Amino acid sequence: MSDQLPVVVIGAGPAGLAAAAHLVERGIEPLVLEAGPAAAAAVREWGHVRLFSTWAEVTDPAAERLLAPTGWTRPDAATYPSGADWAELYLQPLADTLGDRVRFGARVTGVSRAGRDRVVDADRDKQPFAVLFTTADGGEQRVLARTVIDASGTWTTPSPAGAGGLPALGETAATDRITYRVPDLGDPAVRARYAGKRTAVIGSGASAFTALAGLADLAGEEPGTHAVWIVRRGLSASTFGGGAADELPARGALGLAAKAAVDNGHADAVTGFRTEAIDRDTAGRLVLTGEDGRRLDPVDEVIVLTGLRPDLGFLSEIRLGLDERLQAPLALAPLIDPNQHSCGTVYPHGHRELSHPEGDIYLVGMKSYGRAPTFLAMTGYEQVRSVTAAVAGDLEAADRVELILPETGVCSGSGLVGAPAAGAEDQGGCCAPAPQLVQIGVTTTPAAGEGTPSGGCC
């Protein structure tokens, strides 16, 4: 009876749609529940941002095979799509091909074993999953599933400015001047918000690099535009990534563009700063105060890009095995823990690393990484290939590794809009040079207890 039920996939983004394509290829019926009105709703929200992976690295083989009979052809494999390109030229056509297997406006609000809450053991593993969701018209429905693959991502739950994981004092009250996304400076209304203004950018990942580079470009056209880059640690050469040594050239170029923003005077770097409070001055501008008591000069806007975190609320009745730090599956967490992997290296992995005490449920894609700041689309595609093979009972295929990652590892975020495609030549080995302290910006003192990072590979 259970085998006749669908596999419910939560999320019609890159990993979710790829999972559905693999299931169809194996003769298993998927039901994809997507909260948004179209495929890749989250990707569309950062559609103005260009990926640092090429088309060859952001399409799934099973999805391509499913699309082939429709006449679909992949764009030039060596070029870099924007988020909008990815959604319109690949993800939406894939959802269209899947047809009524994808339901839009379906927001999952709960998952449990049918008739069994989290506490009950009796016959638990014999019960199908019950997936509760709301519909676009405000209704509520429930569907039974043999397996649940949660590919809902982390986009809807950005981390706050507060360094302790909670909003800084006053942060919630200041949301009219705070954004948690890379702004689309090509939009005239958004451009006007930052042109000629002083903007704080909080974060040290690829999204922060993108925002800094964009503000630097704006500063070259609009006098008075300036960024204050706030990082919680000290700056070193490795802060900006591997540069020319990165085997993903566009990723390396992104870090160099952020460094140029600081070196060229378009941004000041404030290091060792952990935001404790955000207040307003008499003119309504925002004043950031650090845990060490430092108060920064007022800014007009704040861009918070401190990472994302998984929404686990609708899985509260499921017995998940999650790492206490990253909120990632226990077997996967040691491979991606940024406390242990300074170079961002992670090995390909599949259904075994993604398993939980509750059988037949998997977190895949960005959500599988919990709070870890590292991910590539190709990692998600390998995850769902393995997971769907396991669902089909093909453990030989499920355990086989079919992915070779770039030697420099993986990294979250995306590249610059409008940046020319970088060359594909091999520019070096797997590691950046051992970092040296970079003396730039208004403050370069590492926070207490933090030393200069050591060089070498993970």
Side-chain angles (χ1 to χ4, degrees):
M1 187 68 176
S2 178
D3 288 346
Q4 299 173 21
L5 296 174
V7 172
V8 166
V9 179
I10 305 174
L17 292 173
H22 280 272
L23 289 167
V24 168
E25 192 167 65
R26 287 184 171 274
I28 300 172
E29 195 64 18
L31 174 61
V32 182
L33 301 177
E34 167 57 46
V43 173
R44 293 173 190 275
E45 290 192 28
W46 53 267
H48 58 288
V49 178
R50 192 168 299 283
L51 282 74
F52 53 56
S53 295
T54 63
W55 272 112
E57 297 159 333
V58 297
T59 57
D60 174 79
E64 289 198 35
R65 290 190 290 270
L66 185 63
L67 282 164
T70 70
W72 181 88
T73 56
R74 184 176 62 189
D76 185 346
T79 61
Y80 296 87
S82 67
D85 295 335
W86 201 17
E88 289 298 328
L89 301 180
Y90 166 63
L91 296 169
Q92 188 62 54
L94 178 55
D96 293 342
T97 302
L98 289 165
D100 59 9
R101 298 183 179 100
V102 182
R103 295 188 59 175
F104 298 111
R107 182 177 298 278
V108 174
T109 58
V111 180
S112 73
R113 289 286 185 178
R116 306 289 189 274
D117 65 21
R118 186 186 183 102
V119 176
V120 177
D121 287 334
D123 293 327
R124 185 178 188 85
D125 60 349
K126 298 179 182 178
Q127 302 302 312
F129 290 98
V131 181
L132 188 67
F133 61 96
T134 58
T135 57
D137 60 5
E140 193 172 41
Q141 295 185 22
R142 182 176 63 186
V143 64
L144 298 181
R146 59 185 282 189
T147 302
V148 174
I149 299 175
D150 183 358
S152 59
T154 56
W155 177 253
T156 60
T157 47
S159 296
L166 301 176
L169 294 174
E171 181 175 348
T172 303
T175 52
D176 60 316
R177 289 178 177 259
I178 300 176
T179 183
Y180 298 86
R181 312 299 188 199
V182 176
D184 181 3
L185 297 177
D187 182 323
V190 176
R191 181 185 178 91
R193 178 173 175 175
Y194 299 96
K197 305 290 181 61
R198 180 177 167 87
T199 300
V201 178
I202 306 176
S204 57
S207 294
F209 293 168
T210 303
L212 286 168
L215 289 171
D217 288 343
L218 184 61
E221 301 170 5
E222 298 285 350
T225 305
H226 195 77
V228 180
W229 182 29
I230 298 173
V231 291
R232 295 168 181 169
R233 299 186 178 186
L235 293 185
S236 71
S238 63
T239 300
F240 301 96
D246 197 325
E247 287 195 347
L248 293 177
R251 180 175 60 186
L254 179 58
L256 295 177
K259 185 176 185 299
V262 179
D263 290 344
N264 294 336
H266 297 308
D268 297 323
V270 180
T271 64
F273 189 93
R274 292 176 169 82
T275 306
E276 173 73 15
I278 301 177
D279 302 305
R280 292 183 191 267
D281 67 7
T282 55
R285 302 175 80 198
L286 302 183
V287 178
L288 279 63
T289 302
E291 291 180 346
D292 57 5
R294 278 184 291 168
R295 288 173 61 86
L296 304 184
D297 291 338
V299 295
D300 300 287
E301 300 285 342
V302 177
I303 301 172
V304 180
L305 299 168
T306 53
L308 304 164
R309 55 184 62 178
D311 175 9
L312 301 169
F314 63 81
L315 298 175
S316 61
E317 295 304 319
I318 297 298
R319 298 174 179 179
L320 300 178
L322 299 176
D323 178 73
E324 67 272 14
R325 293 179 299 277
L326 300 184
Q327 296 178 300
L330 284 168
L332 175 60
L335 304 179
I336 61 175
D337 189 344
N339 294 299
Q340 302 177 35
H341 299 276
S342 61
C343 294
T345 302
V346 60
Y347 298 102
H349 53 276
H351 73 110
R352 296 194 185 278
E353 291 84 357
L354 298 171
S355 297
H356 295 277
E358 190 89 66
D360 300 316
I361 187 164
Y362 302 92
L363 276 59
V364 301
M366 285 286 293
K367 191 163 187 176
S368 71
Y369 271 44
R371 299 192 183 200
T374 55
F375 201 73
L376 280 180
M378 65 179 81
T379 298
Y381 296 153
E382 173 67 2
Q383 287 179 340
V384 299
R385 183 206 61 78
S386 173
V387 164
T388 54
V391 171
D394 186 355
L395 292 183
E396 188 278 327
D399 289 335
R400 187 170 62 241
V401 174
E402 295 187 3
L403 172 67
I404 300 176
L405 289 170
E407 290 188 356
T408 43
V410 295
C411 185
S412 63
S414 304
L416 297 173
V417 175
E425 299 84 16
D426 184 2
Q427 297 293 328
C430 69
C431 289
Q436 303 296 320
L437 208 60
V438 178
Q439 301 294 334
I440 55 178
V442 297
T443 309
T444 53
T445 305
E450 294 183 352
T452 304
S454 60
C457 246
C458 303

